[in-house]
Amino acid sequence: MLILPAGLAAVFLIGPLVGLLAAAPWAELPARLATPEVRSALRLSLLCATLATVLCLLLGVPLAWVLARAEFPGRRVLRALITLPLVLPPVVGGVALLLFLGRRGLVGEQLHTWFGVSIPFTTLAVVLAEAFVAMPFLVLSVEGALRGADRRFEEAAATLGASRWLVFRRVTLPSVAPGVLAGAVLCWARALGEFGATITFAGSLPGATQTMPSAVYVALQTSPDAAVVLSLLLLTVCVLVLVSLRERWTGGLR
């Protein structure tokens, strides 16, 4: 009874990908992939997605620990606000970043006035936009792992005289490492495919802020075949990374 809707769901999700493969100009694929524009966009996408993931790890893991272990008023509200980028339209996220870090933004105006720093429409803006939309994936994954971890090992280490930082570094983090890695993979994949907030906050300047998704958008208006090739490349990179890392670090989720 459930086979029919399950099959329809599979066709709905996989069908567009099959359409992309069917429309790809396979004969021209090597030549199009070798163009400087594609290589530049791919290199920038990989670099920015990696930097955004590192930023999410540095900030998101402590945030997840606070949500999972600390008791304070307003924790549920804070969690709801943190997960808001999951459902917020990415373009709205880009507008919010402009109003916060733009030259006339809440913090951006002070940065520009005091230090001469302007973040929008730079490579840094790409990293921040990607981190903004991707960090909730990491926070939720790590928080879930922390809540499921056995705290008796931490308590035992604390009774032996270990400091809180030592317990966190030597006991807590190793026990939730699979959750951290799974969250980092999801975070990286989300950052790699981010478009709306990036093009709103960083624009699409070739060699500086034009990532693969924004290159697809630009190419779609001038050369549909080029857009198909770029989409195919992005799809291939995402599938390869997710499959390889999932097999290695999250095999228990099969």
Side-chain angles (χ1 to χ4, degrees), residues 1-12:
M1 187 175 180
L2 297 178
I3 292 180
L4 179 59
L8 290 175
V11 170
F12 176 71

Side-chain angles (χ1 to χ4, degrees), residues 44-60 123-135 138 184 187-192 194 198:
L44 187 66
S45 291
L46 295 176
L47 174 64
C48 291
T50 303
L51 291 176
T53 302
V54 172
L55 179 62
C56 290
L57 283 169
L58 292 175
L59 302 179
T123 304
L124 176 59
V126 177
V127 175
L128 294 178
E130 292 180 349
F132 178 77
V133 299
M135 192 180 293
L138 177 75
C187 184
W188 188 87
R190 180 65 186 87
L192 187 68
E194 165 34 46
T198 302

Side-chain angles (χ1 to χ4, degrees), residues 86-161:
L86 290 175
V87 296
L88 194 69
V91 174
V92 177
V95 173
L97 285 170
L98 275 175
L99 295 175
F100 185 64
L101 295 173
R103 282 193 179 187
R104 297 184 180 277
L106 191 63
V107 173
E109 185 175 11
Q110 309 305 321
L111 290 175
H112 187 258
T113 301
W114 294 347
F115 306 107
V117 174
S118 179
I119 296 177
F121 306 106
T122 63
T123 304
L124 176 59
V126 177
V127 175
L128 294 178
E130 292 180 349
F132 178 77
V133 299
M135 192 180 293
F137 289 89
L138 177 75
V139 173
L140 291 179
S141 178
V142 177
E143 185 190 359
L146 284 167
R147 290 185 180 280
D150 191 343
R151 299 188 63 176
R152 289 177 297 178
F153 296 105
E154 300 175 15
E155 294 168 357
T159 57
L160 293 175

Side-chain angles (χ1 to χ4, degrees), residues 9-89:
V11 170
F12 176 71
L13 293 174
I14 299 174
L17 305 181
V18 175
L20 181 63
L21 294 173
W26 295 102
E28 304 173 11
L29 198 61
R32 289 187 179 275
L33 291 178
T35 59
E37 294 80 10
V38 172
R39 285 184 296 172
S40 175
L42 178 60
R43 183 168 54 250
L44 187 66
S45 291
L46 295 176
L47 174 64
C48 291
T50 303
L51 291 176
T53 302
V54 172
L55 179 62
C56 290
L57 283 169
L58 292 175
L59 302 179
V61 172
L63 179 58
W65 184 89
V66 169
L67 291 175
R69 298 294 171 80
E71 295 289 343
F72 57 91
R75 188 177 59 173
R76 292 183 178 180
V77 176
L78 178 61
R79 182 186 290 111
L81 292 175
I82 288 169
T83 56
L84 198 56
L86 290 175
V87 296
L88 194 69

